[in-house]
């Protein structure tokens, strides 16, 4: 199983596929802070954050693509644990 850590506060996004023994930095293509990530299944997830920032993965977090959110609102950190 793959785990994903999404950045907030300028951190680097990371993924692991071995229960956290090794972490791989990922480039996600945006610089805004992200506060929540929800996985629909093991491959597909959507992350959201400040100023309408949204990114999507369809490969378990290895690559991310920017998504249009149609908002520029400043988000506040929220905890989401499931879809």
């Amino acid at each position: 199983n793959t785990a994903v850590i999404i950045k907030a506060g300028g951190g680097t996004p990371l993924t692991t596929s071995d229960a956290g023994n090794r972490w791989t930095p990922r480039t996600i293509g945006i610089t805004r802070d992200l506060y929540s990530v929800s996985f629909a299944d093991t491959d597909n997830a959507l992350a959201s954050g400040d100023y309408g920032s949204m990114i999507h993965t369809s490969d378990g977090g290895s690559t991310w693509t920017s998504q249009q959110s149609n908002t520029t609102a400043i988000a506040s950190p929220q905890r989401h644990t499931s879809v």
Side-chain angles (χ1 to χ4, degrees):
N1 291 337
T2 298
V4 176
I5 294 179
I6 297 294
K7 73 179 201 113
T12 300
L14 304 170
T15 60
T16 182
S17 59
D18 61 4
N21 290 314
R22 291 175 298 178
W23 290 90
T24 303
R26 300 294 179 185
T27 301
I28 58 174
I30 63 172
T31 58
R32 301 282 187 197
D33 289 343
L34 297 169
Y35 298 118
S36 78
V37 61
S38 292
F39 273 81
D41 54 39
T42 57
D43 291 323
N44 294 285
L46 184 68
S48 62
D50 273 346
Y51 301 98
S53 299
M54 289 178 56
I55 56 174
H56 173 263
T57 184
S58 58
D59 59 11
S62 293
T63 60
W64 294 86
T65 304
S66 242
Q67 299 291 294
Q68 182 67 32
S69 70
N70 296 322
T71 185
T72 58
I74 298 173
S76 55
Q78 300 175 10
R79 173 178 267 165
H80 298 283
T81 57
S82 64
V83 175

